[in-house]
Structures are given as structure tokens and as C-alpha cells.
Amino acid sequence: MRFLWIVLLLFLSPDLLSQTVSGIVTEKGSGKPLPFANVFINNSTLGSATDEEGRFSISGDLPEEFELVASFVGFGTQSVQIKRKGSQTFVQNFELVFLEDQLSEVELKAKRDKSWERNLKMFKEVFLAVPDDPFGRDIEILNPWVIDFETVKPEKGFNYTKASANQPLLLENRALGYRIDFYLQDFRMLRNASRFFGQAFYQELPSENALTDSIWMREKELNYRNSVRHLVMSLLLRNSGAQGFELYTANPKIPKEDRTNDFYYELNKSIVPVKLEFVYVKPLGNGTYRIFLPERVEVHHLTKPWPNDYYTNIYHAISWIVAPSGHFDVDQKGTLLHPTQLVLSGFMGRQRMARSLPLDFIPNENFAGFLDELEVF
């Protein structure tokens, strides 16, 4: 049995940590190489541009499972799920399809009207930040004109507004210090709900000075704290209490309509603390884990002051997490391998692109609680 020190891994020799994925990007049909195509690991800062022969190579501390994405201007984006299974090197080639009849920037801007502007305003509130989030002031879509909107009227269910883009959305987040290329795959706005997903490549913005670097790191750690990854790491390390989380589940014997809004009155009656020893974590091999969560869990963020209208006498943030299949899979950094395995609401459900961090972001070595040991199988 081996032990992994979460923080000290950062200071080991790169040769001990580095893995490589490489390949060639070509045009489908002609087989011609595509130089300067972008290839990256989804939701990370790990990426590379192809050379004159269409070759790329990405090295670093690669996850065991990841989505590799290839894109080129005027061509369709392609992605593939990769499972390394412990391999240090992996080869993946791409054939991209040429897209015909693309409109120019001038033509796209000319099509935008008042209705499009109203949809864009709602799009930003769903995609960038909720209206009351101060981080929303420091993130901007640099090319909003590439977004198209349409109203979809399905045979069953409610009408919704769909957003799409044939080019990546170029985001600049001045609060966290990232330039983000976001490849929108699906976006739907309903009256009382919304959803979006896509692929994102993060690049560090150039900083003005050491003070800017310090501010960006502070804000990144602020957003890491109380995030899904932070919660998952606390479950893996069995120190959720030390990390500022308390977990509860509802007593199924007490109907919801019989509950009051007094937390301390309901404690140990309709709401029951979850003991960590009852959260089963199964190692899947190669540093990945399955966390079993058979019931809806209420998460209290004790270190995050927050007004809420759920309990009348609680003044910190509250989230709810549900695993529809009864479990979710993660890697040793707390990254969800399949984000759809977990449904979030409450405080953690508020996160938008303004507060998003790349999956390879790791807090500084002085981040409380991360000198614990995690068994790696």
C-alpha cells in the first residue's frame, strides 16, 4: 500500500509525475495536416497547438480519465474520452470536418436585433454569473455576436430558448486571471430552470505585478473553498468537519410538510447528521474512486456566511447534492469524472463561469487540511 501526500506532490520531480498524450490533427477526407490547431484537456490549462505537420504533444500530471478536445477555425470541434489506465503515454489522432457557409463577423453582427439582445442578457445571467454575484462584473464575453438563439417547441414538455455557437466563446475573467475558450455544446433556458455544458480551455492572463498574482491566488482559493471539489476532497480524506462542512440527511419517516424552519428543533428529528463512516468510498484503481450517496444530502458550509430563507436560525450557506444513480466517480484531486452523476442545488448550484476554476488548479501548500494522507490504489 502506498500513500500520497496531496500537497507535497507539487514539489516532486516533473519526471515522476509527467504523462504525455500526443497525436496528429488532419482534415477529414483530404488527410492534410492542420497546423496551429488547438488541442486541450477539457476544463484545464493543459493544452498545445499543433506544429506545421499537425502534430501535438501535451505533458503534465494528466488525470486517469479526461476529455481531449481538438479545434481549428472553420472546422468542427471534435472530442474523445480517454482512460489512461495507468499508462504514461497515450496516442490520439483527430480528423476534423470542414464547415461550409460560415458567416463573417460583420455578417453576424448585422443579424443581431433587440430580441437577440434580450436573449443575450438572460444568457449572461445563466452562463456567466447570477445577477447578485460581484464576480460577474469582472468577466466578459469578448465575441458575443457568435451566439445564436432560437425558441424550441417540443411535442412534450415546455418551450425553451436554445443557444448555440459555431465558434468558441472567448471569455476574459479579470477576477481570477483566466482567458477561457468555451466551446458551447448545449444551452437551454426554461422559465424556472436552465442548463448548459461544453468544453473549456483555460489560459493564465498576464499579470501586471506580484500584487496582482497574489490577489488572483487569493480569489481562486476563495472560490475553491466550499466548492464541489473541496467537498469531495473532504470526503476522500475523511475530514469534512475540519474543512468546514457538516452533512445531514432527511428522516424519511417524517413528511416534509410536517417539518418546521427551525433547524435546531428539527435536528435529530426530521434532519439527521451523516456520519462519515457511513459514506462508502470504493477505490476503482489507478487513483479513481466511487463515492456512494444513496440519499439526498444537505451540506452546511460553516465557513461561508450566507443569508438563507430555508431555516430561520441558520446564517451560513447550504447546498443539496443528489446522485441519481446512487454514486459518483472522482479522481484523487476531487474532480468529478462524469459531472452529470451529481445534481447540485442551493449554494453550490449558483456557480457559473465567473467562479469556475480549471480542474488542474490546486490550492497553495498552506491550504488548511490538505496535509492528510490519501490511500492510492
Side-chain angles (χ1 to χ4, degrees):
M1 184 176 296
R2 298 178 292 121
F3 291 94
L4 168 67
W5 291 84
I6 296 297
V7 174
L8 297 184
L9 263 178
L10 300 176
F11 304 103
L12 294 178
S13 167
D15 294 335
L16 297 178
L17 294 174
S18 182
Q19 298 89 32
T20 300
V21 58
S22 60
I24 303 175
V25 181
T26 58
E27 178 183 11
K28 187 175 179 63
S30 71
K32 293 181 179 180
L34 295 177
F36 308 111
N38 293 317
V39 185
F40 61 92
I41 294 176
N42 185 26
N43 285 323
S44 80
T45 62
L46 301 171
S48 172
T50 57
D51 62 16
E52 294 179 354
E53 298 179 343
R55 299 181 182 277
F56 71 90
S57 180
I58 302 172
S59 297
D61 184 14
L62 306 186
E64 279 296 324
E65 296 185 28
F66 58 90
E67 182 179 12
L68 190 66
V69 185
S71 71
F72 190 70
V73 176
F75 287 72
T77 300
Q78 186 180 357
S79 65
V80 62
Q81 293 291 142
I82 290 179
K83 296 182 179 181
R84 291 195 301 107
K85 298 181 179 180
S87 299
Q88 293 297 105
T89 60
F90 197 94
V91 176
Q92 177 65 51
N93 297 326
F94 291 94
E95 291 183 319
L96 303 187
V97 178
F98 176 69
L99 300 177
E100 299 181 359
D101 301 325
Q102 289 201 88
L103 298 179
S104 68
E105 178 180 331
V106 174
E107 291 172 319
L108 287 171
K109 288 182 176 179
K111 293 177 61 180
R112 307 318 181 198
D113 54 16
K114 294 294 184 182
S115 175
W116 179 86
E117 291 178 359
R118 287 193 295 271
N119 281 326
L120 179 64
K121 183 177 183 297
M122 293 187 293
F123 177 89
K124 289 180 178 180
E125 292 179 357
V126 172
F127 181 66
L128 294 182
V130 293
D132 62 346
D133 189 346
F135 276 70
R137 297 191 297 264
D138 293 314
I139 189 169
E140 179 183 5
I141 304 175
L142 302 180
N143 60 340
W145 54 84
V146 305
I147 307 172
D148 282 312
F149 298 102
E150 64 174 307
T151 300
V152 179
K153 300 179 180 180
E155 293 183 3
K156 296 183 179 180
F158 299 101
N159 297 347
Y160 62 89
T161 300
K162 178 181 178 181
S164 59
N166 284 331
Q167 301 177 37
L169 302 182
L170 308 180
L171 312 180
E172 186 173 271
N173 190 336
R174 295 177 295 277
L176 300 180
Y178 289 116
R179 149 76 184 265
I180 308 170
D181 296 350
F182 192 91
Y183 297 77
L184 189 65
Q185 299 300 309
D186 188 46
F187 183 99
R188 304 183 185 191
M189 291 186 294
L190 289 83
R191 179 178 301 176
N192 297 318
S194 60
R195 77 176 193 189
F196 71 86
F197 64 85
Q199 294 115 354
F201 177 46
Y202 294 75
Q203 301 172 70
E204 299 276 357
L205 289 176
S207 64
E208 299 175 357
N209 48 50
L211 177 60
T212 301
D213 286 334
S214 176
I215 292 173
W216 282 345
M217 177 54 73
R218 182 192 68 197
E219 298 297 345
K220 289 173 185 177
E221 290 193 342
L222 172 68
N223 282 283
Y224 181 90
R225 188 179 295 276
N226 289 303
S227 68
V228 178
R229 283 185 62 205
H230 187 195
L231 173 64
V232 169
M233 283 303 302
S234 76
L235 295 177
L236 292 177
L237 295 168
R238 299 290 180 179
N239 67 354
S240 61
Q243 293 299 315
F245 298 107
E246 285 185 352
L247 310 179
Y248 301 90
T249 188
N251 183 347
K253 296 181 180 179
I254 299 180
K256 186 176 180 180
E257 55 270 20
D258 292 341
R259 293 178 57 176
T260 71
N261 291 329
D262 186 328
F263 172 77
Y264 296 104
Y265 175 80
E266 298 297 333
L267 186 60
N268 294 314
K269 298 184 182 71
S270 67
I271 184 169
V272 182
V274 175
K275 296 181 179 180
L276 284 181
E277 54 265 32
F278 295 136
V279 178
Y280 180 51
V281 178
K282 177 180 175 60
L284 300 179
N286 296 321
T288 60
Y289 303 84
R290 175 162 292 175
I291 300 177
F292 289 84
L293 204 67
E295 300 178 3
R296 181 174 185 254
V297 171
E298 183 173 299
V299 181
H300 286 227
H301 305 259
L302 302 185
T303 63
K304 183 64 179 179
W306 194 262
N308 72 79
D309 54 8
Y310 192 76
Y311 294 112
T312 58
N313 49 359
I314 289 295
Y315 306 100
H316 52 249
I318 300 176
S319 301
W320 291 267
I321 59 175
V322 179
S325 60
H327 66 265
F328 57 97
D329 299 336
V330 301
D331 66 13
Q332 62 197 35
K333 295 180 182 177
T335 303
L336 293 175
L337 300 182
H338 311 286
T340 56
Q341 288 183 329
L342 205 58
V343 177
L344 309 172
S345 58
F347 178 76
M348 288 193 293
R350 290 170 51 89
Q351 187 180 41
R352 307 289 192 269
M353 291 305 298
R355 291 181 176 269
S356 69
L357 294 168
L359 299 181
D360 51 328
F361 170 76
I362 298 177
N364 278 333
E365 65 271 16
N366 59 357
F367 193 84
F370 277 76
L371 285 176
D372 291 318
E373 293 176 337
L374 175 61
E375 297 178 4
V376 179
F377 297 86

